[in-house]
Amino acid sequence: MSPNLGDVFAVPASHGASKPPQSGSASVKIRIAGVYKTFKTKKGEVPVLEGVDLDVRDREFLAIVGPSGCGKSTLLNCIAGFEGIDSGSIQIDGEQVTRPSPKRVFVFQETGIFPWLSVWDNIGFGLGRKMPFAQKHEIVMKYIDLVGLTGFEKALPSELSGGMKQRVEFARALAVDPDILYLDEPFGALDAFTRLEMRREIVRIWKATGKTCLLVTHDVEEACELADRIAVMSKRPATIKEIVENPMPRPRDPDEKAFRDLKDHIFETLGVERRV
Amino acid sequence: MRFVHSLLLALAGILIFGFAWHLVVLATRPAPLRLPAMAFSDIAEGKSHAVILDSKSREISRAIFDWDEKSRGHNEDTLKTWLKAHQPKLAGLPTNIPAPAATSPASKPSYPAHSLPALLDAAKVAFGGGLIAEASQAPGSGFDQARARAESTQIKNARSEDWIPPPHEALSALYELTVSGEMPRHIIASLFRVAAGFIFGALLGIPLGLAMGSFAWLSSLLNSVIQCLRPISPIAWLPVAALTLKGADNAAVFIIFLSSFFPIAVSTAAAVATVDLKYRRSALNFGVRGLDSARYVIVPAVLPSILTSLRIALGISWVVVVAAEMLGVSAGLGYLVNDARNQLRFDRVVAAMIVIGLIGLLIDTSIRRFERMELERRGLGAR
Ligand SMILES: Nc1ncnc2c1ncn2[C@@H]1O[C@H](COP(=O)(O)OP(=O)(O)OP(=O)(O)O)[C@@H](O)[C@H]1O
Ligand SMILES: [Mg+2]
């Protein structure tokens, strides 16, 4: 499907007017049931996932939060098919995940775009080399526009700022028109301003394209700003402690009481004292 | 602008080096040998002179001999008697002057050529060598001409055997060798050997390194063998290579192959093994796997490392080729060094060394340029 750009610029300002696409009501996209994962190292076994159950609905924005080192990235890597699991099952659209697929694209913690390719080539990478140039160009330019990098087609990643690189990575992921985006702390390496801007950007893109987004983060505020639902993981070996519904309409204001309450609730679930 | 700047700095560096070189030459130069006596013929006069010199090459004593038409030579007995009489004056003087080839007359002598060598021989018999012969056509100028020639010959002879040649001599030898076409011939021979061996080494080393970096089992299979063969100096292979490859030429190429193959294979393998996981996973994610992944992701990712290993391997090859050419071949810079040494032409030895160094520099900088381009492209190593 193509992104509806008209929609993007018509984000209503009034609360409640913007409803995430089919949020809440959709069918299950990813079904994770009883997943166990242990890393075997020289020093011994490290149990990381210990019976993780989670359903991700179609087209929803789900965030996974948890303490550092609890296994968030591991879980996302398993869902993406980069890592195998010891037991349990991970199904997408009813099919067991065995390997990565272009239908589900991973956005890396620190940008995973290829530094030797130009912006254009990076975004076109996933489209394959057999696609006719004209068609490829049209798609690439569309996503360059979408992420606001017009004029930088020929630039190399080394000539871009951190935020711009992250936009390129989003564009590369979106260009293959996947069903699902896996986001592993995609804003982790960015400064506070850029991070804020990128969050707005990702919500805009998500609304425009209607992907299922699975975001891993240890930033509770980020999860509350972005997600429809927030899965809270326990310490390693990890399970899903609780799945919190986020009823707030977009755009969200972190200073609102509902927002703060939601955050407090998540911190409580994590067992973290929020005040310094 | 930056280019001019670094060029000027490089030139300054070369000048400083040349100056230091010259200082070393001066410091290690043996005291000039003193000329105890000399003989010359004044063709215009039709007479020969034998002169004994003092420590400042000034005349002490002179004997004049008439040209004897009948015997077509000098009266050697007279010379001998004269020399004997002067032996005491010569006794304290060094007589180990390197025997010069009888210097040929400056222009065509109307005077029999053999008369001077005869005079010289007589002197040698009398006090064990150390005479310089010279012929002159201008009346009266014989002594000065002969002395000048004798001194320069003496210096030249002493220099080519015992001295480090000073920079200007090496440069003039370089000029001579270049103009005569010898140097280009040797350069081409060496470059050809290096190119042949290096291309083989790279063509086998890069794919093997890529495969070893990609497949752990292959790496385990070959690593111990490679790590065991690698420390063997390529030169140590020379006897075996010459025996099996029938000919020193092939052997030299094989040795260059070895010197480039191992470093290229090993560092390519190491680079592939450390390609960032997220690049591999990105490729996998977009369904790019196998050979496509190697071509479009792994190779571009390790290209700077490959270029570095190529540069280092080529540097090693260039070092090794000179050594490999010292045995059994009849062209190449290594051969030139060895040959010039055997002829005691140290000016040529140094000229060859200069050329070896310059070509090494040229090779290094040209590959470094690609390397820097690729690194800067990736936002690495930019200055
Ligand atoms: N390849 C591996 N081999 C062995 N142990 C691993 C491996 N990858 C991760 N681990 C371990 O698994 C645990 C979870 O790692 P993971 O990267 O999933 O944490 P995370 O929740 O993403 O943390 P962060 O928020 O810091 O990114 C860690 O304790 C780590 O040591
Ligand atoms: Mg992580």
Side-chain angles (χ1 to χ4, degrees), chain A residues 77 82-83 99-102 104-106 108 110-116 125-126 129 156 158 172-173 176, chain B residues 277-289 292 296-298 300-302 374 376-380:
Chain A
N77 282 331
F82 290 137
E83 305 240 26
R99 46 145 78 174
S101 148
R104 318 182 277 270
V105 181
F106 203 102
F108 291 87
E110 264 168 56
T111 169
I113 59 172
F114 302 121
W116 54 87
F125 182 83
R129 283 165 308 282
L156 288 164
S158 57
R172 183 179 74 171
V176 296
Chain B
L277 195 59
K278 64 192 178 196
Y279 298 144
R280 297 169 183 281
R281 286 186 167 171
S282 289
L284 266 183
N285 202 164
F286 291 112
V288 175
R289 43 188 93 227
D292 273 352
Y296 295 105
V297 178
I298 304 296
V302 299
E374 289 301 328
E376 277 175 8
R377 195 183 166 77
R378 289 160 176 73
L380 306 161

Short mmCIF file of all heavy atoms in Angstrom, two decimals, chain A residues 77 82-83 99-102 104-106 108 110-116 125-126 129 156 158 172-173 176, chain B residues 277-289 292 296-298 300-302 374 376-380:
data_model
loop_
_atom_site.label_atom_id
_atom_site.label_comp_id
_atom_site.label_asym_id
_atom_site.label_seq_id
_atom_site.Cartn_x
_atom_site.Cartn_y
_atom_site.Cartn_z
N ASN A 77 14.87 -9.75 18.32
CA ASN A 77 15.66 -10.51 17.35
C ASN A 77 15.02 -11.86 17.06
O ASN A 77 15.06 -12.34 15.93
CB ASN A 77 17.09 -10.72 17.86
CG ASN A 77 17.93 -9.47 17.70
OD1 ASN A 77 17.70 -8.67 16.80
ND2 ASN A 77 18.89 -9.29 18.58
N PHE A 82 16.08 -13.37 13.48
CA PHE A 82 17.54 -13.33 13.47
C PHE A 82 18.12 -14.35 14.43
O PHE A 82 19.25 -14.79 14.28
CB PHE A 82 18.05 -11.94 13.87
CG PHE A 82 17.78 -10.88 12.84
CD1 PHE A 82 17.32 -9.63 13.22
CD2 PHE A 82 18.01 -11.14 11.49
CE1 PHE A 82 17.07 -8.65 12.28
CE2 PHE A 82 17.77 -10.15 10.54
CZ PHE A 82 17.30 -8.91 10.93
N GLU A 83 17.37 -14.67 15.47
CA GLU A 83 17.84 -15.65 16.45
C GLU A 83 16.78 -16.73 16.59
O GLU A 83 15.58 -16.47 16.48
CB GLU A 83 18.02 -14.98 17.81
CG GLU A 83 18.94 -13.79 17.77
CD GLU A 83 20.15 -13.96 18.67
OE1 GLU A 83 20.53 -15.13 18.93
OE2 GLU A 83 20.70 -12.94 19.08
N ARG A 99 12.87 -17.40 9.60
CA ARG A 99 13.96 -16.56 9.10
C ARG A 99 13.41 -15.16 8.83
O ARG A 99 12.19 -14.97 8.73
CB ARG A 99 14.54 -17.15 7.81
CG ARG A 99 13.46 -17.58 6.81
CD ARG A 99 13.88 -17.35 5.40
NE ARG A 99 14.81 -18.34 4.86
CZ ARG A 99 15.21 -18.37 3.60
NH1 ARG A 99 14.74 -17.47 2.75
NH2 ARG A 99 16.05 -19.26 3.16
N PRO A 100 14.31 -14.18 8.72
CA PRO A 100 13.83 -12.83 8.46
C PRO A 100 13.17 -12.73 7.09
O PRO A 100 13.43 -13.55 6.21
CB PRO A 100 15.09 -11.97 8.51
CG PRO A 100 16.24 -12.87 8.59
CD PRO A 100 15.77 -14.25 8.88
N SER A 101 12.31 -11.75 6.94
CA SER A 101 11.63 -11.58 5.66
C SER A 101 11.46 -10.10 5.39
O SER A 101 11.30 -9.30 6.32
CB SER A 101 10.26 -12.27 5.74
OG SER A 101 9.33 -11.56 4.94
N PRO A 102 11.49 -9.71 4.13
CA PRO A 102 11.29 -8.29 3.79
C PRO A 102 9.90 -7.79 4.14
O PRO A 102 9.64 -6.59 4.09
CB PRO A 102 11.51 -8.25 2.27
CG PRO A 102 12.19 -9.53 1.93
CD PRO A 102 11.80 -10.53 2.95
N ARG A 104 8.83 -7.87 6.99
CA ARG A 104 8.96 -7.39 8.38
C ARG A 104 10.37 -6.83 8.53
O ARG A 104 11.34 -7.57 8.46
CB ARG A 104 8.77 -8.57 9.34
CG ARG A 104 7.64 -9.50 8.93
CD ARG A 104 7.45 -10.59 9.91
NE ARG A 104 8.36 -11.70 9.69
CZ ARG A 104 8.09 -12.74 8.91
NH1 ARG A 104 6.94 -12.79 8.26
NH2 ARG A 104 8.95 -13.72 8.79
N VAL A 105 10.46 -5.54 8.65
CA VAL A 105 11.78 -4.93 8.59
C VAL A 105 12.22 -4.40 9.95
O VAL A 105 11.42 -3.86 10.71
CB VAL A 105 11.83 -3.81 7.53
CG1 VAL A 105 13.22 -3.21 7.46
CG2 VAL A 105 11.45 -4.38 6.18
N PHE A 106 13.48 -4.62 10.21
CA PHE A 106 14.09 -4.29 11.49
C PHE A 106 14.82 -2.94 11.37
O PHE A 106 15.58 -2.73 10.45
CB PHE A 106 15.11 -5.38 11.83
CG PHE A 106 15.44 -5.51 13.28
CD1 PHE A 106 14.87 -6.53 14.04
CD2 PHE A 106 16.32 -4.64 13.88
CE1 PHE A 106 15.18 -6.68 15.37
CE2 PHE A 106 16.63 -4.77 15.22
CZ PHE A 106 16.06 -5.79 15.97
N PHE A 108 17.51 -0.68 13.30
CA PHE A 108 18.49 -1.04 14.33
C PHE A 108 18.73 0.06 15.36
O PHE A 108 18.48 1.24 15.11
CB PHE A 108 19.82 -1.43 13.66
CG PHE A 108 19.71 -2.73 12.94
CD1 PHE A 108 19.29 -2.78 11.62
CD2 PHE A 108 19.99 -3.92 13.59
CE1 PHE A 108 19.16 -3.97 10.96
CE2 PHE A 108 19.86 -5.12 12.93
CZ PHE A 108 19.45 -5.15 11.62
N GLU A 110 21.54 1.30 16.58
CA GLU A 110 22.31 2.37 15.95
C GLU A 110 22.18 2.11 14.47
O GLU A 110 22.23 0.98 14.04
CB GLU A 110 23.76 2.35 16.41
CG GLU A 110 24.01 3.30 17.54
CD GLU A 110 25.35 3.08 18.17
OE1 GLU A 110 26.34 3.14 17.43
OE2 GLU A 110 25.39 2.82 19.38
N THR A 111 22.08 3.16 13.72
CA THR A 111 21.63 3.01 12.34
C THR A 111 22.34 1.89 11.58
O THR A 111 23.55 1.75 11.64
CB THR A 111 21.74 4.34 11.58
OG1 THR A 111 21.53 4.09 10.21
CG2 THR A 111 23.08 4.99 11.76
N GLY A 112 21.53 1.09 10.90
CA GLY A 112 22.06 -0.05 10.17
C GLY A 112 22.13 0.20 8.67
O GLY A 112 22.29 -0.74 7.90
N ILE A 113 22.02 1.47 8.26
CA ILE A 113 22.15 1.75 6.82
C ILE A 113 23.60 1.55 6.42
O ILE A 113 24.50 1.67 7.24
CB ILE A 113 21.65 3.16 6.43
CG1 ILE A 113 22.44 4.23 7.20
CG2 ILE A 113 20.18 3.28 6.66
CD1 ILE A 113 22.13 5.63 6.72
N PHE A 114 23.80 1.24 5.13
CA PHE A 114 25.14 0.92 4.67
C PHE A 114 25.93 2.20 4.40
O PHE A 114 25.54 3.01 3.56
CB PHE A 114 25.07 0.09 3.38
CG PHE A 114 24.30 -1.19 3.57
CD1 PHE A 114 23.18 -1.45 2.81
CD2 PHE A 114 24.70 -2.13 4.51
CE1 PHE A 114 22.46 -2.63 2.99
CE2 PHE A 114 23.99 -3.30 4.70
CZ PHE A 114 22.86 -3.54 3.93
N PRO A 115 27.06 2.36 5.08
CA PRO A 115 27.79 3.63 4.94
C PRO A 115 28.44 3.80 3.57
O PRO A 115 28.89 4.88 3.24
CB PRO A 115 28.86 3.55 6.04
CG PRO A 115 28.95 2.12 6.41
CD PRO A 115 27.63 1.49 6.11
N TRP A 116 28.53 2.73 2.78
CA TRP A 116 29.19 2.86 1.49
C TRP A 116 28.19 3.20 0.38
O TRP A 116 28.59 3.39 -0.77
CB TRP A 116 29.95 1.58 1.14
CG TRP A 116 29.11 0.35 1.19
CD1 TRP A 116 28.35 -0.17 0.20
CD2 TRP A 116 28.93 -0.52 2.31
NE1 TRP A 116 27.70 -1.29 0.63
CE2 TRP A 116 28.05 -1.53 1.92
CE3 TRP A 116 29.43 -0.53 3.62
CZ2 TRP A 116 27.66 -2.56 2.79
CZ3 TRP A 116 29.05 -1.54 4.47
CH2 TRP A 116 28.17 -2.54 4.05
N PHE A 125 17.94 -0.34 -1.63
CA PHE A 125 18.60 -1.63 -1.43
C PHE A 125 17.61 -2.79 -1.32
O PHE A 125 17.78 -3.83 -1.94
CB PHE A 125 19.46 -1.58 -0.16
CG PHE A 125 20.22 -2.85 0.11
CD1 PHE A 125 21.43 -3.09 -0.51
CD2 PHE A 125 19.71 -3.81 0.99
CE1 PHE A 125 22.13 -4.27 -0.27
CE2 PHE A 125 20.40 -4.99 1.22
CZ PHE A 125 21.62 -5.22 0.60
N GLY A 126 16.56 -2.58 -0.52
CA GLY A 126 15.62 -3.67 -0.27
C GLY A 126 14.74 -3.98 -1.46
O GLY A 126 14.04 -5.00 -1.46
N ARG A 129 17.70 -5.79 -7.17
CA ARG A 129 18.40 -5.25 -8.32
C ARG A 129 17.68 -5.52 -9.63
O ARG A 129 18.10 -5.07 -10.68
CB ARG A 129 19.82 -5.81 -8.37
CG ARG A 129 20.75 -5.16 -7.38
CD ARG A 129 21.98 -5.97 -7.21
NE ARG A 129 21.68 -7.34 -6.91
CZ ARG A 129 21.32 -7.77 -5.72
NH1 ARG A 129 21.18 -6.94 -4.72
NH2 ARG A 129 21.05 -9.04 -5.52
N LEU A 156 26.06 10.76 1.00
CA LEU A 156 26.49 9.54 1.69
C LEU A 156 26.12 9.67 3.16
O LEU A 156 26.07 10.78 3.69
CB LEU A 156 28.00 9.37 1.55
CG LEU A 156 28.47 8.97 0.16
CD1 LEU A 156 29.96 9.19 0.01
CD2 LEU A 156 28.13 7.51 -0.11
N SER A 158 27.84 9.36 5.67
CA SER A 158 28.82 10.10 6.46
C SER A 158 28.60 11.60 6.37
O SER A 158 29.15 12.36 7.15
CB SER A 158 30.23 9.75 5.99
OG SER A 158 30.37 10.00 4.62
N ARG A 172 14.35 3.28 4.17
CA ARG A 172 14.78 1.99 3.60
C ARG A 172 13.82 0.88 4.03
O ARG A 172 13.45 0.01 3.24
CB ARG A 172 16.20 1.67 4.07
CG ARG A 172 16.72 0.39 3.47
CD ARG A 172 18.13 0.09 3.92
NE ARG A 172 18.17 -0.38 5.31
CZ ARG A 172 19.27 -0.87 5.89
NH1 ARG A 172 20.39 -0.94 5.21
NH2 ARG A 172 19.24 -1.27 7.15
N ALA A 173 13.42 0.94 5.32
CA ALA A 173 12.51 -0.08 5.82
C ALA A 173 11.14 0.04 5.16
O ALA A 173 10.55 -0.96 4.73
CB ALA A 173 12.38 0.05 7.34
N VAL A 176 10.21 -1.13 1.15
CA VAL A 176 9.81 -2.47 0.71
C VAL A 176 8.37 -2.77 1.12
O VAL A 176 7.88 -3.88 0.93
CB VAL A 176 10.76 -3.56 1.28
CG1 VAL A 176 12.15 -3.37 0.74
CG2 VAL A 176 10.76 -3.56 2.80
N LEU B 277 27.30 -6.92 12.73
CA LEU B 277 26.16 -7.82 12.63
C LEU B 277 24.95 -7.14 12.00
O LEU B 277 24.20 -7.76 11.25
CB LEU B 277 25.83 -8.34 14.03
CG LEU B 277 24.91 -9.55 14.11
CD1 LEU B 277 25.50 -10.73 13.36
CD2 LEU B 277 24.65 -9.91 15.56
N LYS B 278 24.77 -5.84 12.28
CA LYS B 278 23.56 -5.19 11.78
C LYS B 278 23.58 -5.07 10.25
O LYS B 278 22.52 -5.08 9.63
CB LYS B 278 23.35 -3.84 12.46
CG LYS B 278 24.39 -2.83 12.18
CD LYS B 278 24.24 -1.65 13.12
CE LYS B 278 25.35 -0.65 12.83
NZ LYS B 278 25.51 0.33 13.90
N TYR B 279 24.79 -5.02 9.64
CA TYR B 279 24.84 -4.99 8.18
C TYR B 279 24.46 -6.35 7.61
O TYR B 279 23.70 -6.45 6.64
CB TYR B 279 26.24 -4.59 7.68
CG TYR B 279 26.66 -3.22 8.11
CD1 TYR B 279 27.97 -2.94 8.43
CD2 TYR B 279 25.72 -2.20 8.20
CE1 TYR B 279 28.36 -1.67 8.84
CE2 TYR B 279 26.10 -0.93 8.61
CZ TYR B 279 27.41 -0.67 8.93
OH TYR B 279 27.78 0.58 9.34
N ARG B 280 24.98 -7.42 8.24
CA ARG B 280 24.60 -8.75 7.79
C ARG B 280 23.09 -8.95 7.94
O ARG B 280 22.43 -9.48 7.07
CB ARG B 280 25.28 -9.83 8.64
CG ARG B 280 26.79 -9.84 8.55
CD ARG B 280 27.30 -10.77 9.64
NE ARG B 280 28.74 -10.79 9.69
CZ ARG B 280 29.49 -11.50 8.84
NH1 ARG B 280 28.92 -12.25 7.92
NH2 ARG B 280 30.79 -11.47 8.92
N ARG B 281 22.58 -8.49 9.11
CA ARG B 281 21.17 -8.71 9.37
C ARG B 281 20.30 -7.85 8.45
O ARG B 281 19.24 -8.29 8.03
CB ARG B 281 20.87 -8.42 10.84
CG ARG B 281 21.39 -9.53 11.72
CD ARG B 281 21.00 -9.38 13.16
NE ARG B 281 21.25 -10.61 13.88
CZ ARG B 281 21.17 -10.73 15.20
NH1 ARG B 281 20.79 -9.72 15.94
NH2 ARG B 281 21.41 -11.90 15.77
N SER B 282 20.78 -6.63 8.16
CA SER B 282 20.03 -5.81 7.20
C SER B 282 19.90 -6.54 5.88
O SER B 282 18.83 -6.60 5.29
CB SER B 282 20.75 -4.48 6.96
OG SER B 282 20.66 -3.66 8.09
N ALA B 283 21.02 -7.11 5.42
CA ALA B 283 21.00 -7.82 4.15
C ALA B 283 20.02 -8.98 4.21
O ALA B 283 19.16 -9.16 3.35
CB ALA B 283 22.40 -8.31 3.80
N LEU B 284 20.14 -9.77 5.28
CA LEU B 284 19.25 -10.91 5.46
C LEU B 284 17.79 -10.47 5.46
O LEU B 284 16.92 -11.08 4.86
CB LEU B 284 19.53 -11.57 6.81
CG LEU B 284 20.51 -12.73 6.85
CD1 LEU B 284 20.57 -13.27 8.28
CD2 LEU B 284 20.06 -13.82 5.90
N ASN B 285 17.54 -9.36 6.19
CA ASN B 285 16.20 -8.86 6.34
C ASN B 285 15.55 -8.56 4.98
O ASN B 285 14.37 -8.78 4.76
CB ASN B 285 16.24 -7.60 7.20
CG ASN B 285 14.91 -7.30 7.86
OD1 ASN B 285 14.83 -6.54 8.79
ND2 ASN B 285 13.84 -7.91 7.38
N PHE B 286 16.40 -8.04 4.06
CA PHE B 286 15.85 -7.71 2.74
C PHE B 286 16.00 -8.87 1.77
O PHE B 286 15.90 -8.70 0.56
CB PHE B 286 16.53 -6.45 2.20
CG PHE B 286 16.16 -5.22 2.96
CD1 PHE B 286 17.10 -4.56 3.73
CD2 PHE B 286 14.86 -4.74 2.92
CE1 PHE B 286 16.76 -3.43 4.45
CE2 PHE B 286 14.51 -3.60 3.64
CZ PHE B 286 15.46 -2.95 4.41
N GLY B 287 16.26 -10.05 2.32
CA GLY B 287 16.32 -11.25 1.48
C GLY B 287 17.57 -11.35 0.64
O GLY B 287 17.62 -12.09 -0.33
N VAL B 288 18.61 -10.59 1.02
CA VAL B 288 19.87 -10.67 0.27
C VAL B 288 20.77 -11.63 1.02
O VAL B 288 21.19 -11.36 2.15
CB VAL B 288 20.52 -9.27 0.18
CG1 VAL B 288 21.90 -9.36 -0.47
CG2 VAL B 288 19.63 -8.34 -0.61
N ARG B 289 21.03 -12.79 0.41
CA ARG B 289 21.85 -13.77 1.11
C ARG B 289 22.83 -14.44 0.15
O ARG B 289 22.83 -14.14 -1.04
CB ARG B 289 20.97 -14.81 1.82
CG ARG B 289 19.79 -15.32 0.97
CD ARG B 289 18.86 -16.18 1.80
NE ARG B 289 17.75 -15.43 2.39
CZ ARG B 289 17.37 -15.53 3.66
NH1 ARG B 289 18.01 -16.34 4.47
NH2 ARG B 289 16.36 -14.83 4.10
N ASP B 292 25.04 -12.97 -3.18
CA ASP B 292 24.58 -11.58 -3.28
C ASP B 292 24.99 -10.79 -2.05
O ASP B 292 25.44 -9.66 -2.15
CB ASP B 292 23.06 -11.53 -3.43
CG ASP B 292 22.65 -11.64 -4.89
OD1 ASP B 292 23.56 -11.59 -5.74
OD2 ASP B 292 21.45 -11.79 -5.15
N TYR B 296 27.26 -7.57 -2.34
CA TYR B 296 26.69 -6.25 -2.13
C TYR B 296 26.83 -5.74 -0.70
O TYR B 296 26.60 -4.58 -0.43
CB TYR B 296 25.21 -6.24 -2.54
CG TYR B 296 25.05 -6.48 -4.02
CD1 TYR B 296 24.61 -7.71 -4.50
CD2 TYR B 296 25.38 -5.50 -4.94
CE1 TYR B 296 24.50 -7.95 -5.86
CE2 TYR B 296 25.27 -5.71 -6.29
CZ TYR B 296 24.83 -6.94 -6.75
OH TYR B 296 24.72 -7.17 -8.09
N VAL B 297 27.17 -6.63 0.22
CA VAL B 297 27.29 -6.18 1.61
C VAL B 297 28.68 -6.47 2.19
O VAL B 297 29.37 -5.56 2.65
CB VAL B 297 26.20 -6.81 2.49
CG1 VAL B 297 26.36 -6.38 3.94
CG2 VAL B 297 24.82 -6.42 1.97
N ILE B 298 29.09 -7.73 2.14
CA ILE B 298 30.34 -8.09 2.81
C ILE B 298 31.53 -7.40 2.13
O ILE B 298 32.34 -6.76 2.79
CB ILE B 298 30.55 -9.63 2.82
CG1 ILE B 298 29.35 -10.32 3.47
CG2 ILE B 298 31.84 -9.98 3.55
CD1 ILE B 298 29.14 -10.01 4.91
N PRO B 300 31.71 -4.73 0.07
CA PRO B 300 31.79 -3.28 0.32
C PRO B 300 32.15 -2.96 1.77
O PRO B 300 32.86 -2.00 2.03
CB PRO B 300 30.39 -2.77 -0.01
CG PRO B 300 29.72 -3.84 -0.77
CD PRO B 300 30.42 -5.13 -0.51
N ALA B 301 31.65 -3.77 2.70
CA ALA B 301 31.93 -3.48 4.11
C ALA B 301 33.41 -3.65 4.42
O ALA B 301 33.96 -2.91 5.21
CB ALA B 301 31.09 -4.39 5.01
N VAL B 302 34.05 -4.65 3.81
CA VAL B 302 35.45 -4.90 4.14
C VAL B 302 36.41 -4.27 3.13
O VAL B 302 37.62 -4.43 3.26
CB VAL B 302 35.77 -6.41 4.26
CG1 VAL B 302 34.94 -7.04 5.37
CG2 VAL B 302 35.56 -7.14 2.95
N GLU B 374 37.84 5.39 0.12
CA GLU B 374 36.84 4.45 0.63
C GLU B 374 36.54 4.72 2.10
O GLU B 374 35.40 4.59 2.54
CB GLU B 374 37.29 3.01 0.43
CG GLU B 374 37.27 2.55 -1.02
CD GLU B 374 35.88 2.66 -1.63
OE1 GLU B 374 34.88 2.49 -0.92
OE2 GLU B 374 35.78 2.94 -2.85
N GLU B 376 36.86 7.62 3.66
CA GLU B 376 36.13 8.88 3.80
C GLU B 376 34.68 8.71 3.40
O GLU B 376 33.77 9.27 3.99
CB GLU B 376 36.80 9.97 2.97
CG GLU B 376 37.95 10.59 3.72
CD GLU B 376 38.72 11.60 2.89
OE1 GLU B 376 38.28 11.92 1.77
OE2 GLU B 376 39.79 12.03 3.35
N ARG B 377 34.49 7.87 2.38
CA ARG B 377 33.14 7.54 1.94
C ARG B 377 32.32 7.01 3.11
O ARG B 377 31.14 7.30 3.25
CB ARG B 377 33.29 6.46 0.87
CG ARG B 377 32.09 6.21 0.05
CD ARG B 377 32.39 5.07 -0.90
NE ARG B 377 31.17 4.60 -1.48
CZ ARG B 377 30.54 5.23 -2.44
NH1 ARG B 377 31.05 6.32 -2.95
NH2 ARG B 377 29.40 4.76 -2.90
N ARG B 378 32.96 6.21 3.94
CA ARG B 378 32.28 5.60 5.08
C ARG B 378 32.33 6.47 6.32
O ARG B 378 31.95 6.05 7.40
CB ARG B 378 32.91 4.25 5.39
CG ARG B 378 32.60 3.21 4.33
CD ARG B 378 33.61 2.07 4.38
NE ARG B 378 33.26 1.02 3.43
CZ ARG B 378 33.40 1.15 2.12
NH1 ARG B 378 33.85 2.26 1.60
NH2 ARG B 378 33.07 0.14 1.33
N GLY B 379 32.86 7.68 6.16
CA GLY B 379 32.93 8.58 7.30
C GLY B 379 33.98 8.17 8.30
O GLY B 379 33.92 8.51 9.47
N LEU B 380 34.96 7.38 7.86
CA LEU B 380 36.03 6.94 8.74
C LEU B 380 37.32 7.59 8.29
O LEU B 380 37.52 7.86 7.13
CB LEU B 380 36.20 5.41 8.68
CG LEU B 380 34.95 4.58 8.93
CD1 LEU B 380 35.14 3.20 8.40
CD2 LEU B 380 34.67 4.54 10.41
#
